[in-house]
Amino acid sequence: MPYAIDQRFDPDSAAQQITLSSLDNQYFDHLIPAIEDSGTGVKGQQLLQSLAHISIEREAEIESICSTNHQGFASASNQFLVVSEQSQTLMTDIHALSQSTQISTETLAREKKALVESRAVRQNIDYANEALRDCLDVLRLANQVYDLLGRKNHYAALRALDELQDVHLFKITKYKIADTIRKSIPDTKKLIADAVMSDLNTWLFRIRETSQFLGEVAFYHIEQRRARHKERAEKLMSLGSFKLNSAVESVADEDEEFDILDNEDVQVDFTPLFECMHIHDALGQREKFKVDYASTRRQQKDLLMPPSITLVDPEGSSLSELLEGIAGFAIIEKATMSKARGLRSPADVDELWDSMCQTAIALISNALSEVTNAELLLKIKGIIALFIQTITSYGYPVHLLDTFLLTLFDKYAELLKRRFSDDFQEIVSTDDYMPMPIHKSDEYDKVVNVSWYTPEKPRQELRFPCVLPFSQMYPLCCIDIRNFLNQFYFFSDDHFQHLKVIDDTLKASLDELLCEKVCQSLVDRLSTQYLGQIVQILINLEHFEIACQELEQLLVAARSNASAGGTLVLKATEDFRNSKKTAEKRIFELVNSKIDDLIETAEYDWTASTLDTEPSSYMQTLTRYLSNIMNTVLLGLPTEIKELIYFDALSHAATMILSLPLSPDVKCINPNGVAALSQDVQYLTEFVDTLNNPILKENLDELRQTVSLMQAENSDEFYDVATRNKKYGRVDAMNGPTLLEKLTHTVHVPVKPDKLAALSSRFGMKS
């Protein structure tokens, strides 16, 4: 490399250094650089001038020295001439060398410039190659992003794009392509986001299409759990008190592993959702994705709910499909909340769930008007109960559905009442109101098993055919009552949280049916004039009262723990008891009416001239009538009721017989008339004696004592309080004097008694 050119070169100093050099090598060391530095041009001329000036100065010094010492000067001059010649030669050589050096330097400079330019070109080529390689790497990575996107490897494409942006793109920032690629990165990210959202939407569509089948599988799994729980409860009774989805039942069933999202029937892969979440996380768009996903799920929820459903299809497919779809949708939501943390908040899921519940309840409520059959409504309740148990196993609240089941139960209870009301009414209206004949033993067993009836005789003593006291309506009503009870409690099967409502509604409904449709219908039929039918109604009422008492015990035993303890009283029990009294009164009315009719036929000749030896025909008919109805029509009545009828009939007969002589039309009664009356009373008394009931005879005491008074020789005894209380205590204080006033001892010609005479006689006055 040539020495660097000193920009501060001084020709005078250089010339001084050259001339002052004591050694040859030092001389050349100073000379050569000075020549190289001066080169050609002005600096070279200055150097030559400096050297010439120095030469002149030296010559002057030499001349001075020579003048002092000529010899020495001459010698020195010679030497100087030699030196001068040598110097000239040297100057020529130097000049030639300088030119040669100048030429070499220019050549070297050109070559060096060419070398530098060559190196710069080579370096530029290297730079260009390196840049090209970097650009190609970036372009290859950019193309790889699109290749991965085309293969739906979205997350890898996003990672490659991030690597391109964060690492590789910095290598080519000085190139324009870097700006182009950098500007395209947001669009590429949006393309990736759109692509992954497209895949997610496809996944969501498939999920929506799968929801109904997923719910169907979940329903089937719960039904299997029900069956297993029932089997375990049958083997171990203590498990029966624990419901499905309870902690005990869940532990008992934990061996039966079942993944609702991954089984042989259905598989749900959440990979597209996870990928979409990761990509939006990487894009910093998690919140936007959450909002978009929530909006999409709300739209899917709306698409899931039909505008209307029908509940009258026999299989219940419309309702099942609705609830299965909701169950599948809800299961996916719970799984999403569990698997994709932070994507679905409990508030979002609960909001969707409440919305679906409210819509489903509204759809079912609107369709309930179509349902007019209790059995169909029970099937509907069963589907809803299965839905509730399925959803409960995934932790969803079901209070809205539990409350809706109350509405469903009210509808069910109303349909049951309507159906059984029609049944009871038909049974009551078509009954023959005759004792029920039984022809075979198995028929007897069936009637006894379904009825609340305690036979008077052991079954072994019965001979068939036989007759049961009640009519056919009683066992038919008992069958309906048992069915009514069972069907009411059918509603509590599987799932129903309001058992006390069932207990209270059942009691009220049963009371309503028994009071209005059975008891009142029987009471309405008491208006008939047919005594046998009324008697049968009374017998039926008696058995219905017993049945109600048995029902009270049965309802207490069947009540849930939620109901209050203690006794239970049916209003129907009191109604049947009161209706029995109404029926008894009606029997009394008919019997008394018949007695009135018979007694009205009595033809007493109160002033008869002869004495009759036979009882009156009406009296014979009356006693025969009483005997016949007791042994035929009233035979099936309980003994106490028959005695009560006898008691009332005899009391009424005695009153009516006593009213005959008290009639205003009867003005006079002679001994023959009294004897005829006495004979009839004695006949009636003898008839009562045959009944072997002393109490019944007391009904005739007033009549008998009154006849005795009329036959008494001393009628004044009646006016003696002590004697009257002893002999005529049952005789009415007003009727006695009236009859005594009508008495006469004249037989042939009835004469109107002289009242004053009677008074005179009574008070011992003499005329």
Side-chain angles (χ1 to χ4, degrees):
M1 294 289 292
Y3 290 101
I5 299 174
D6 189 356
Q7 300 295 332
R8 297 174 296 174
F9 173 73
D10 186 1
D12 294 333
S13 298
Q16 290 290 338
Q17 289 176 357
I18 293 172
T19 57
L20 291 177
S21 299
S22 59
L23 299 175
D24 293 340
N25 57 348
Q26 290 181 352
Y27 173 78
F28 285 107
D29 287 339
H30 289 289
L31 178 62
I32 293 173
I35 294 173
E36 290 179 349
D37 290 339
S38 62
T40 58
V42 177
K43 290 183 179 181
Q45 293 297 328
Q46 290 176 352
L47 179 60
L48 290 177
Q49 289 176 1
S50 297
L51 288 174
H53 181 68
I54 291 172
S55 176
I56 294 171
E57 287 180 352
R58 290 296 184 265
E59 286 179 359
E61 288 177 3
I62 292 171
E63 286 179 0
S64 176
I65 293 171
C66 285
S67 64
T68 304
N69 190 353
H70 181 75
Q71 187 63 34
F73 177 75
S75 175
S77 294
N78 292 333
Q79 290 178 356
F80 176 74
L81 290 174
V82 174
V83 171
S84 178
E85 291 177 358
Q86 291 176 348
S87 176
Q88 288 293 332
T89 303
L90 182 60
M91 287 295 293
T92 303
D93 292 339
I94 289 172
H95 186 67
L97 179 60
S98 177
Q99 290 180 347
S100 175
T101 302
Q102 180 70 31
I103 294 171
S104 298
T105 301
E106 292 176 355
T107 302
L108 181 61
R110 285 196 301 270
E111 291 177 354
K112 183 178 179 181
K113 182 179 180 181
L115 179 60
V116 170
E117 291 177 352
S118 175
R119 286 179 177 176
V121 171
R122 183 174 179 180
Q123 188 175 13
N124 289 339
I125 292 173
D126 291 340
Y127 286 158
N129 287 334
E130 184 178 356
L132 186 58
R133 282 194 300 270
D134 291 341
C135 291
L136 287 175
D137 289 341
V138 170
L139 290 174
R140 177 183 56 77
L141 192 56
N143 289 332
Q144 185 181 4
V145 170
Y146 287 96
D147 290 340
L148 291 171
L149 193 59
R151 294 198 298 269
K152 294 188 178 298
N153 198 346
H154 306 114
Y155 192 70
L158 185 62
R159 293 275 68 84
L161 188 61
D162 289 341
E163 181 182 352
L164 175 65
Q165 182 180 13
D166 298 336
V167 179
H168 298 280
L169 205 59
F170 282 105
K171 298 178 181 179
I172 61 170
T173 52
K174 53 190 174 182
Y175 306 116
K176 201 170 189 178
I177 190 173
D179 292 335
T180 304
I181 294 176
R182 186 177 293 108
K183 291 177 181 178
S184 69
I185 286 177
D187 293 335
T188 306
K189 287 184 176 181
K190 186 177 184 304
L191 189 63
I192 294 174
D194 292 343
V196 77
M197 280 302 295
S198 176
D199 286 354
L200 180 65
N201 289 333
T202 302
W203 179 78
L204 287 172
F205 175 78
R206 292 174 181 171
I207 287 296
R208 182 168 68 85
E209 295 296 315
T210 309
S211 292
Q212 192 264 328
F213 182 65
L214 181 65
E216 183 180 350
V217 173
F219 279 17
Y220 176 77
H221 173 59
I222 291 297
E223 287 180 336
Q224 296 299 106
R225 278 184 63 183
R226 276 183 185 174
R228 291 194 297 269
H229 180 58
K230 184 177 180 181
E231 290 177 2
R232 287 191 293 266
E234 290 174 353
K235 294 177 182 178
L236 188 61
M237 297 298 294
S238 59
L239 291 177
S241 60
F242 297 100
K243 297 181 179 181
L244 201 71
N245 291 321
S246 65
V248 173
E249 187 276 334
S250 299
V251 171
D253 199 64
E254 64 183 358
D255 293 338
E256 301 292 335
E257 296 183 359
F258 181 78
D259 188 351
I260 187 62
L261 300 175
D262 187 12
N263 53 75
E264 61 182 8
D265 296 315
V266 61
Q267 296 84 33
V268 178
D269 183 12
F270 283 83
T271 301
L273 177 61
F274 297 151
E275 185 178 30
C276 197
M277 282 182 60
H278 289 320
I279 287 176
H280 281 83
D281 281 343
L283 293 174
Q285 299 177 356
R286 182 177 183 85
E287 293 303 318
K288 179 179 179 299
F289 174 65
K290 286 175 62 176
V291 172
D292 292 344
Y293 184 84
S295 175
T296 302
R297 289 301 278 170
R298 281 194 295 270
Q299 292 174 3
Q300 288 193 323
K301 181 265 297 183
D302 294 337
L303 291 174
L304 182 67
M305 311 305 289
S308 63
I309 62 171
T310 179
L311 298 177
V312 295
D313 53 329
E315 300 299 326
S317 57
S318 180
L319 178 62
S320 294
E321 289 174 1
L322 171 65
L323 298 183
E324 286 168 358
I326 294 175
F329 188 94
I331 291 170
I332 292 295
E333 283 296 293
K334 278 292 183 181
T336 303
M337 191 168 63
S338 174
K339 295 176 180 293
R341 298 286 183 180
L343 177 62
R344 302 293 284 151
S345 68
D348 291 339
V349 175
D350 289 343
E351 180 186 358
L352 277 181
W353 167 245
D354 288 343
S355 175
M356 289 190 294
C357 283
Q358 292 170 3
T359 305
I361 289 172
L363 288 171
I364 298 172
S365 299
N366 292 336
L368 269 182
S369 58
E370 304 174 327
V371 181
T372 57
N373 182 279
E375 284 74 14
L376 177 58
L377 195 62
L378 194 61
K379 290 181 180 179
I380 293 169
K381 183 264 173 183
I383 296 173
I384 297 176
L386 180 60
F387 171 66
I388 292 175
Q389 290 177 330
T390 302
I391 285 301
T392 302
S393 64
Y394 293 94
Y396 279 101
V398 293
H399 57 277
L400 290 177
L401 296 169
D402 280 337
T403 303
F404 177 66
L405 284 182
L406 280 175
T407 303
L408 214 60
F409 174 71
D410 291 340
K411 174 79 172 180
Y412 179 73
E414 186 63 32
L415 290 177
L416 278 183
K417 281 197 300 183
R418 190 183 307 167
R419 195 190 80 189
F420 280 93
S421 174
D422 295 340
D423 289 349
F424 282 130
Q425 198 159 4
E426 182 179 0
I427 290 171
V428 172
S429 62
T430 58
D431 191 52
D432 57 5
Y433 295 96
M434 297 290 289
M436 184 176 181
I438 301 296
H439 302 285
K440 298 179 181 179
S441 60
D442 57 346
E443 184 181 352
Y444 174 83
D445 293 336
K446 290 178 181 178
V447 172
V448 172
N449 287 335
V450 300
S451 305
W452 287 280
Y453 170 63
T454 303
E456 296 179 357
K457 295 181 180 180
R459 187 180 182 283
Q460 297 79 3
E461 298 179 9
L462 292 176
R463 297 291 180 269
F464 298 97
C466 66
V467 176
L468 296 179
F470 42 77
S471 66
Q472 190 173 5
M473 69 163 289
Y474 177 68
L476 291 177
C477 286
C478 288
I479 292 173
D480 267 7
I481 290 171
R482 292 182 186 275
N483 288 337
F484 186 70
L485 296 180
N486 291 333
Q487 293 194 30
F488 242 90
Y489 281 110
F490 282 162
F491 200 89
S492 65
D493 290 348
D494 301 328
H495 178 87
F496 190 69
Q497 301 294 334
H498 312 280
L499 298 180
K500 187 178 184 302
V501 175
I502 291 184
D503 297 333
D504 296 341
T505 306
L506 175 59
K507 177 183 178 298
S509 300
L510 191 58
D511 259 337
E512 182 180 343
L513 286 175
L514 291 176
C515 292
E516 296 181 6
K517 301 304 177 182
V518 179
C519 185
Q520 188 58 45
S521 296
L522 291 176
V523 171
D524 293 342
R525 288 186 168 271
L526 292 176
S527 59
T528 181
Q529 297 297 320
Y530 180 49
L531 181 61
Q533 184 173 350
I534 296 175
V535 169
Q536 189 61 59
I537 290 174
L538 177 59
I539 294 172
N540 289 349
L541 289 170
E542 174 76 20
H543 284 87
F544 274 117
E545 182 186 359
I546 296 172
C548 285
Q549 294 170 351
E550 296 290 337
L551 275 172
E552 290 171 352
Q553 301 301 319
L554 184 62
L555 290 175
V556 169
R559 276 193 304 189
S560 65
N561 295 330
S563 298
T567 60
L568 183 148
V569 178
L570 287 173
K571 179 179 177 294
T573 307
E574 185 66 23
D575 279 10
F576 280 116
R577 186 178 296 118
N578 295 333
S579 297
K580 276 171 49 184
K581 295 177 181 178
T582 304
E584 291 170 4
K585 290 179 181 178
R586 180 59 179 157
I587 292 176
F588 297 159
E589 290 176 3
L590 288 180
V591 172
N592 292 342
S593 176
K594 182 64 176 177
I595 291 173
D596 291 344
D597 292 342
L598 291 174
I599 292 177
E600 285 178 0
T601 63
E603 297 179 350
Y604 282 108
D605 185 359
W606 298 109
T607 58
S609 58
T610 59
L611 183 65
D612 290 334
T613 58
E614 295 292 331
S616 301
S617 60
Y618 90 90
M619 182 58 69
Q620 295 179 28
T621 304
L622 174 62
T623 55
R624 189 164 52 249
Y625 168 73
L626 292 176
S627 177
N628 287 340
I629 63 170
M630 289 301 174
N631 294 321
T632 55
V633 178
L634 305 181
L635 182 63
L637 290 176
T639 303
E640 60 273 14
I641 295 180
K642 288 194 292 185
E643 290 177 352
L644 186 61
I645 293 174
Y646 256 134
F647 189 89
D648 185 80
L650 291 172
S651 178
H652 182 73
T655 302
M656 293 303 297
I657 292 172
L658 187 59
S659 68
L660 293 176
L662 288 170
S663 173
D665 296 335
V666 179
K667 305 298 182 180
C668 182
I669 304 175
N670 67 13
N672 290 338
V674 174
L677 178 61
S678 176
Q679 186 170 322
D680 288 344
V681 171
Q682 181 62 31
Y683 185 82
L684 181 60
T685 303
E686 291 174 356
F687 168 74
V688 173
D689 288 338
T690 62
L691 300 179
N692 298 320
N693 190 339
I695 298 177
L696 296 178
K697 196 172 182 179
E698 294 178 0
N699 288 317
L700 303 180
D701 285 349
E702 182 182 5
L703 180 60
R704 291 167 57 209
Q705 290 180 13
T706 301
V707 173
S708 296
L709 175 63
M710 294 174 69
Q711 290 179 326
E713 294 181 359
N714 185 9
S715 59
D716 291 340
E717 293 177 344
F718 182 75
Y719 300 102
D720 185 343
V721 176
T723 305
R724 184 176 67 187
N725 290 338
K726 181 179 180 181
K727 297 179 63 175
Y728 310 111
R730 301 295 297 275
V731 178
D732 185 85
M734 298 298 295
N735 292 339
T738 302
L739 290 174
L740 290 176
E741 290 177 358
K742 293 183 179 183
L743 288 177
T744 180
H745 296 287
T746 303
V747 174
H748 296 289
V749 179
V751 178
K752 184 176 181 181
D754 187 357
K755 294 182 179 180
L756 293 177
L759 288 173
S760 299
S761 172
R762 187 175 305 159
F763 293 100
M765 296 177 63
K766 295 181 179 179
S767 56

